[in-house]
Amino acid sequence: MDPNPKFKVIICGGGIGGLVCAVQLGKYPNIELEVYESADKFSPVGAGIGVWPRTWGILEMMGLTEDLAKVASNPVTDDEVVAWSLRKSDQLDGFEFGQVRSKGHLQTFHRGDIHHVFVKHLSPNCKIFYSKRIQSYTESSDGVLALSFADGSSATCDVLIGADGLKSSVRASMFERMAHDALNEGRTDDAMKYMDSVSHIWTGSIVYRALVPTDRLKEKGFPVDAEPTQHCGRGLHIVTYPVMNGTLLNVGIFRPQRKLMGTQSALSSPIPADVSEVRTLTDFNKWEPRVQALLDCMDITSKWPVFCINLLSTYASGHTALIGDAAHAMFPHQASGAGQAIEDAHLLACLLGHERTSKHNLGDVLRIYSDMRLPFASEIWDRSEQNSNNFALVDPDADTKLKSIAETVHNRWQWAWDDRYNHLLEVSYGIMQKLA
């Protein structure tokens, strides 16, 4: 590390976004870097995640894909492939009614595998502190941030990156401060909007998650497809995709109830659930045999409330920036939450490491990050929400519109392989060159 660093960055949160940001920032020896993780060790939450070709390109730039390819679900290719299969499954004679065909695979991973690769590539100059849950922060007039943690300890930095997830304390502090300033300036409507950004909201959906050995499924006659599959039914849909080199099938059984969005969920966090509870969601005896076989092979499941946050007006304020779920926690129906966190993390780290970045223009740099990332991530948030309706066949005439639904779903994912991240990075660098 440079004995005289330009400035100090603290990342709060060691999930996907926080680690990717730390890996990239670790490439700049003139930046002092610390990561504060609330758990007593890096521990991935959740089971499987997906990485589209657009995101894979970022990981390739970072030098991570050689290790990631060893635990990826599919061989790496630029050829057109079936990335997703859509099935009409709520009938005994179920059938495939559409495909998402992409240039390159949607790579699926067990979250622990991809997490391990990121940790492996952290710079030795990155200082890591465990069991540190941030509660709040303040920012002085000269841009120095003072962080307070739940254990009573504190820290200071020049840039704070909130990678602390859905229930982000960094987001809460940032928008509460913005609301306070707005009220002092008589901008009551802005203050109310900012306060609506503080907390997460329930989407109205519940998902039952499980990991099922593929050998057992094959014995039951379940065809374990290489590509992810949406088993669509009226008011309920099931997503399946292989992880851990195809030895396990990640299963998510979603029951969306959009009329409940924004209301209080009976669950605040995941709990264990019996498979018998899953069977009460609908009459699965009327679903296609492959779904019945899947349920027969599920021994253990967990029940998760699906939360999101309202679309934010900014991802940065002062010397603080938000990434990942702290910035745009979304519906999981574009398989893009992790990918969007990686985009946030990489762009923000590259801008902070840019030669034109100094201690005196950090606020401008963070605003560039927000201006470049917010419109795109918000669009993916919208598309994820829309996919939820299609997968659960909420349209009363859905049975007669399956071809149209399939085309719509495919088009919503076009960005994942056609719209390359490199262009956004180049435009951002162009703006950086204009900084004083």
Side-chain angles (χ1 to χ4, degrees), residues 379-390:
E379 174 66 21
I380 303 308
W381 191 105
D382 283 335
R383 295 184 183 202
S384 299
E385 180 186 23
Q386 293 160 12
N387 272 357
S388 174
N389 292 330
N390 290 135

Side-chain angles (χ1 to χ4, degrees), residues 204-380:
S205 294
I206 294 291
V207 58
Y208 294 82
R209 301 186 186 276
L211 288 169
V212 181
T214 52
D215 286 346
R216 184 186 303 176
L217 290 165
K218 292 173 183 176
E219 291 174 0
K220 286 280 189 178
F222 182 95
V224 182
D225 300 318
E227 69 273 2
T229 301
Q230 279 285 354
H231 304 270
C232 302
R234 185 73 65 181
L236 187 135
H237 61 99
I238 303 172
V239 59
T240 60
Y241 55 84
V243 295
M244 298 195 75
N245 296 120
T247 59
L248 294 174
L249 193 72
N250 187 70
V251 181
I253 303 174
F254 287 86
R255 186 189 182 196
Q257 300 175 84
R258 190 55 54 81
K259 64 183 180 181
L260 297 179
M261 185 168 179
T263 64
Q264 185 70 35
S265 170
L267 294 176
S268 59
S269 58
I271 61 171
D274 195 271
V275 178
S276 61
E277 181 179 336
V278 176
R279 294 183 180 276
T280 66
L281 298 176
T282 189
D283 186 358
F284 283 108
N285 291 324
K286 295 180 180 178
W287 283 53
E288 63 176 324
R290 60 160 57 194
V291 171
Q292 297 185 41
L294 178 63
L295 294 177
D296 289 341
C297 293
M298 288 173 54
D299 292 331
I300 301 173
T301 185
S302 55
K303 182 178 180 180
W304 298 61
V306 181
F307 294 107
C308 68
I309 64 172
N310 290 313
L311 291 173
L312 302 184
S313 57
T314 183
Y315 295 164
S317 177
H319 286 192
T320 300
L322 306 173
I323 65 174
D325 280 354
H328 43 65
M330 61 185 66
F331 290 73
H333 307 305
Q334 279 249 305
S336 300
Q340 290 305 293
I342 290 168
E343 287 201 27
D344 294 341
H346 186 261
L347 179 64
L348 179 55
C350 287
L351 296 182
L352 288 171
H354 194 276
E355 61 183 5
R356 299 300 293 267
T357 301
S358 71
K359 198 170 185 177
H360 305 293
N361 63 13
L362 289 171
D364 294 329
V365 172
L366 298 189
R367 278 191 292 275
I368 293 171
Y369 155 73
S370 178
D371 290 345
M372 296 306 297
R373 280 294 301 142
L374 188 146
F376 189 85
S378 297
E379 174 66 21
I380 303 308

